[in-house]
Amino acid sequence: MKANNWDPLHERILDSIPVGIIVYDCAGNVTYVNKMAEAITGYNLQEIQLFQKINHVLDGDQEIFWKTLQSGQPFFGFEYYCPAKDGTEIPVVTSTTPLFDDANRQIGIVAALIAHSEMGRLRAVEEHASLILDHISDGVITLNREGVITGFNRAAEDITGLNREEVKNRKLQQVFPFEPAVLDKVLETLRIGREYKDIKAQLQDKQRRTRYILVTTRVLRNRTDNVMGVMLTFRDITMQELLEEQVRQSEKLAVIGELAAGTAHEIRNPLTSVKGFIQLLDRKYQEDAPEKEYFRIILSELNRVNDIIREFLLLSKPTDPNLRLIDINSVLEDIRTLMSSDALLRNIELNIRLSDVPVVCEVDVEQIKQVFINLIRNAFEAIGFNGKLSIGIRVMQDECEVHFTDNGPGIRKEVLARIFEPFFTTKEEGTGLGLTVSYRIIQNHGGTILVESEEGQGTTFRVRLPLAKTQ
């Protein structure tokens, strides 16, 4: 039964809600109950109004009622036992919300009740839906109309390294600072309902590794077609992107290799003749002759050109690796001995952490040392002075990874995209072949080199090599 001042339409709407609703005035008197509240308690409005004390309805939670009344703030999801007409006490979950009139004056409180049995059913439905989402291989993120994350499935956790408790109830852009073009499309789906498919985006996972994903946006609507929010589904295409990049890099190296094979020897032959004649001329002058300095400079530059040609030839026909089984830990120990003095001169903290177990690979030791030393020297040059370089080994299922992480200035995105290209360099004295040759060496060993960097955050190179089959 309802109070006389309630509009019939409002009563029908409230009676259709599967949640018990009880309305109180500012004195604590019950002014309205809907059908579900009558079904839960067994009392109608007149019977409830006969109660002299408010705790006959709110039981032991009258303190929450008065807090809501005094503070004007809602309270959600507290549990208590509601007295029923048959003498039992029914466990319910309730929330209290202040009620205001058109002039924004508080005129009472609305209490919403859900019986524990109904809560159990709702939770079972929610768990079932969550279970389905958790078995989807694509990441799924749901947002409400304000762009706040409300759902985050298990695949999303696996891809990003974040758990749902870390991201729920936070704005999407606070958790995932996508590029403006990507974020604008998501917000456009929220604003006008335009949906997008397979937007290519990048994100950094919890370990600050770059992931490439394809994002699809879908509008979430309820049964009455009202917009409730947006669902983002995304697939991790990082491995696909890396493989495509390796193919592109291999194609570039093949072209450069053909060029090198056809020209390097033609350059080296006349270079050898020039060097020989310069040495002959050098012998004709006394040791204190000023011309001797000119010859020294010429010979030094010719040797530098010869070194560039030697690296150039490595791209066309790399030296056949002298493969043997070796523990990568011992290679890094040798590297520590070789590079410690250089690190000391630059006041760089060189921290090499070896694996607790043998990491046996079949490699050409000298070539692998060449790669590691090149990466370390590049890091030293990037750091300058008073920095830190950490080197460590990680053993995976079929391969090992040696990472080189510095705290230097990082690499700009436009430079990072070209870092393994032949002849591309940012150094005044560089040839642009060091990283290209290193890439080719590791590729010939069946491995890969990956690089991750962010301006102001340092750089990490990851060298991955297959473990020996005997291990």
Side-chain angles (χ1 to χ4, degrees):
M1 188 178 291
K2 317 299 185 292
N4 294 329
N5 60 340
W6 281 85
D7 181 270
L9 176 60
H10 290 162
E11 288 187 8
R12 286 199 299 274
I13 292 172
L14 291 172
D15 281 341
S16 67
I17 296 174
V19 175
I21 295 176
I22 302 176
V23 180
Y24 302 88
D25 63 20
C26 289
N29 299 311
V30 176
T31 61
Y32 172 82
V33 293
N34 73 344
K35 284 186 177 179
M36 181 56 70
E38 290 181 345
I40 292 173
T41 65
Y43 293 112
N44 60 33
L45 176 64
Q46 284 77 14
E47 289 172 321
I48 291 176
Q49 287 176 332
L50 291 175
F51 293 147
Q52 299 298 310
K53 293 183 179 179
I54 192 169
N55 67 334
H56 282 106
V57 178
L58 291 179
D59 196 37
D61 289 286
Q62 53 183 313
E63 181 183 353
I64 298 294
F65 175 89
W66 292 117
K67 282 183 178 179
T68 305
L69 194 63
Q70 292 166 5
S71 67
Q73 299 297 317
F75 290 86
F76 298 106
F78 57 91
E79 300 182 2
Y80 73 100
Y81 289 89
C82 178
K85 192 172 182 178
D86 60 7
T88 62
E89 290 187 329
I90 303 170
V92 295
V93 177
T94 191
S95 300
T96 58
T97 306
L99 183 64
F100 299 94
D101 62 13
D102 294 338
N104 205 32
R105 293 173 300 196
Q106 188 170 346
I107 57 174
I109 289 175
V110 178
L113 298 83
I114 300 179
H116 260 264
S117 58
E118 180 64 13
M119 280 294 294
R121 189 186 71 81
L122 293 176
R123 283 172 180 157
V125 171
E126 183 180 1
E127 287 174 5
H128 182 67
S130 178
L131 189 65
I132 293 172
L133 285 177
D134 281 343
H135 281 76
I136 295 174
S137 59
D138 288 353
V140 178
I141 302 175
T142 55
L143 312 174
N144 65 16
R145 296 179 64 180
E146 286 71 44
V148 174
I149 297 173
T150 57
F152 203 73
N153 76 337
R154 187 177 298 167
E157 292 182 327
D158 293 340
I159 294 170
T160 65
L162 302 168
N163 64 59
R164 63 195 74 190
E165 300 307 320
E166 291 179 271
V167 303
K168 282 187 94 171
N169 301 319
R170 294 175 63 189
K171 288 268 191 180
L172 178 70
Q173 54 267 43
Q174 291 176 336
V175 181
F176 304 110
F178 291 121
E179 301 97 320
V182 176
L183 192 58
D184 286 347
K185 287 181 171 63
V186 175
L187 297 178
E188 192 174 338
T189 305
L190 272 170
R191 287 195 306 270
I192 63 175
R194 182 178 179 182
E195 298 178 340
Y196 290 90
K197 183 178 180 181
D198 291 343
I199 312 166
K200 185 176 285 189
Q202 293 182 29
L203 59 82
Q204 283 194 325
D205 63 18
K206 199 169 184 179
Q207 285 73 42
R208 303 190 66 80
R209 294 174 300 188
T210 300
R211 296 271 192 167
Y212 297 89
I213 58 174
L214 287 180
V215 182
T216 296
T217 64
R218 289 285 184 268
V219 178
L220 292 175
R221 302 178 186 273
N222 62 14
R223 290 183 179 179
T224 57
D225 208 36
N226 292 322
V227 175
M228 305 299 292
V230 166
M231 179 173 70
L232 308 180
T233 59
F234 58 95
R235 289 186 290 117
D236 187 355
I237 58 167
T238 303
M239 289 307 299
Q240 178 183 331
E241 283 289 306
L242 292 177
L243 288 172
E244 288 177 0
E245 178 58 33
Q246 288 175 22
V247 170
R248 288 192 291 269
Q249 188 67 21
S250 295
E251 289 173 349
K252 289 178 186 176
L253 291 177
V255 172
I256 294 296
E258 290 179 11
L259 177 64
T263 61
H265 287 294
E266 298 301 321
I267 296 173
R268 179 175 273 181
N269 290 337
L271 201 65
T272 303
S273 299
V274 171
K275 184 176 181 181
F277 283 118
I278 291 295
Q279 288 171 334
L280 285 174
L281 287 172
D282 182 46
R283 293 173 186 172
K284 291 181 179 291
Y285 290 86
Q286 298 294 327
E287 287 299 324
D288 56 350
E291 289 82 1
K292 297 285 277 189
E293 179 63 18
Y294 301 148
F295 294 140
R296 188 191 64 78
I297 293 171
I298 293 170
L299 288 171
S300 174
E301 291 302 306
L302 287 173
N303 287 332
R304 184 167 179 269
V305 173
N306 200 45
D307 288 341
I308 294 171
I309 292 172
R310 187 172 63 252
E311 288 186 324
F312 199 30
L313 285 170
L314 280 173
L315 298 178
S316 62
K317 189 179 179 181
T319 305
D320 292 333
N322 179 23
L323 300 178
R324 61 188 176 94
L325 295 176
I326 193 165
D327 186 352
I328 298 297
N329 285 299
S330 66
V331 177
L332 288 180
E333 280 286 13
D334 292 344
I335 295 291
R336 191 203 305 269
T337 303
L338 288 169
M339 302 304 298
S340 290
S341 58
D342 199 1
L344 192 62
L345 287 172
R346 296 170 179 267
N347 198 29
I348 291 175
E349 180 186 342
L350 179 60
N351 181 17
I352 300 179
R353 185 170 183 177
L354 305 179
S355 171
D356 295 331
V357 296
V359 185
V360 180
C361 298
E362 190 174 16
V363 298
D364 184 310
V365 177
E366 295 308 315
Q367 288 187 5
I368 295 301
K369 280 184 182 178
Q370 178 185 342
V371 172
F372 289 177
I373 289 171
N374 185 40
L375 293 177
I376 292 172
R377 283 179 175 159
N378 285 349
F380 283 178
E381 290 176 9
I383 294 168
F385 291 88
N386 305 319
K388 182 178 181 179
L389 174 63
S390 298
I391 303 173
I393 305 177
R394 184 165 66 102
V395 179
M396 295 176 282
Q397 186 174 359
D398 299 316
E399 60 184 1
C400 70
E401 177 185 277
V402 183
H403 64 82
F404 302 77
T405 301
D406 67 58
N407 65 344
I411 305 172
R412 300 192 310 274
K413 282 188 177 181
E414 57 271 24
V415 173
L416 196 63
R418 303 182 59 192
I419 199 166
F420 293 114
E421 287 185 9
F423 307 112
F424 177 79
T425 181
T426 57
K427 304 174 187 175
E428 292 184 5
E429 298 293 325
T431 64
L433 290 172
L435 282 176
T436 310
V437 170
S438 296
Y439 187 97
R440 189 63 179 265
I441 289 172
I442 297 302
Q443 185 184 54
N444 288 342
H445 280 78
T448 55
I449 297 183
L450 308 174
V451 58
E452 301 157 8
S453 187
E454 188 176 341
E455 284 191 82
Q457 300 294 327
T459 302
T460 297
F461 279 87
R462 301 180 187 277
V463 178
R464 293 179 179 173
L465 292 166
L467 293 171
K469 293 180 181 179
T470 55
Q471 183 167 314

